[in-house]
Amino acid sequence: MNAAPPDQAPTQSPPAAPARPKSARRRSREFALQGLYEWLVGRAGAEKVHAHMREQDEFDKCDAAHFDALLSGCISQSDPLEQCFAPHLDRPVAELSPVERSILMLGSYELLHCLDIPYRVAINEAVELAKVFGGTDGHKFVNGVLDRTAKDLRPAEVAAQRQRGPRQG
């Protein structure tokens, strides 16, 4: 309760809305991000990282197939994925934080290989990861880089969406 002057009743803040449960796909992205971070920073082998992530609490709640595709794909295709987003950076890839680099790899992987996921969803999911795991304004950076990367990787889909307008599906 907030303190109120003696002649007024105290006010209460409305209760916070309950958090929406995370989808299995979002959890798979979070685990893949953590695995990529471990791979980049700890220089552990892909198999070791994979096994370690599968041992984490609540791994059973994620989309394991999507996690496998993301982590394995990003590790095995790290150089080509980085080449997809590197032209849109304001600094060399090596100067990115490991979190930003991992998120950009995940977003680029989904844009390149997960064509069942609309490009705007792939970008939004990467932005959400950056909001949770990244630096203060990292989500803005990720959004800008992946938006430009999407124009390269999915030009027809981006052009069609822009013709329909920003609010239409």
Side-chain angles (χ1 to χ4, degrees):
M1 286 199 189
N2 297 331
D7 60 334
Q8 292 181 358
T11 59
Q12 290 184 342
S13 299
R20 216 169 103 194
K22 293 179 187 176
S23 71
R25 279 250 169 128
R26 176 156 298 169
R27 289 176 191 272
S28 67
R29 291 178 183 100
E30 289 179 353
F31 282 114
L33 171 61
Q34 293 169 22
L36 280 174
Y37 181 89
E38 183 177 329
W39 178 72
L40 285 171
V41 174
R43 307 232 181 246
E47 298 80 21
K48 185 176 179 179
V49 170
H50 217 94
H52 180 245
M53 295 315 303
R54 287 184 161 277
E55 294 170 355
Q56 300 305 303
D57 290 340
E58 298 192 3
F59 182 84
D60 60 324
K61 294 181 182 178
C62 87
D63 178 340
H66 196 59
F67 164 79
D68 290 339
L70 288 174
L71 186 60
S72 298
C74 286
I75 290 174
S76 67
Q77 299 173 33
S78 62
D79 289 338
L81 290 172
E82 289 175 351
Q83 290 172 10
C84 291
F85 63 78
H88 309 295
L89 297 175
D90 58 359
R91 57 190 173 266
V93 172
E95 291 180 15
L96 293 173
S97 77
V99 173
E100 287 174 338
R101 188 174 179 179
S102 296
I103 292 170
L104 290 171
M105 288 171 64
L106 287 169
S108 296
Y109 181 88
E110 285 194 334
L111 288 169
L112 194 59
H113 297 291
C114 303
L115 301 180
D116 60 315
I117 299 172
Y119 85 94
R120 286 177 26 170
V121 172
I123 293 171
N124 186 58
E125 289 294 326
V127 166
E128 291 302 315
L129 287 173
K131 286 179 181 177
V132 173
F133 296 97
T136 304
D137 284 334
H139 65 283
K140 295 175 186 177
F141 175 73
V142 165
N143 185 55
V145 172
L146 288 179
D147 187 59
R148 291 187 295 277
T149 302
K151 289 177 191 174
D152 294 342
L153 299 180
R154 296 194 192 179
E157 184 182 354
V158 171
Q161 179 62 44
R162 301 233 162 122
Q163 279 185 331
R164 284 192 298 267
R167 300 241 179 223
Q168 297 176 358

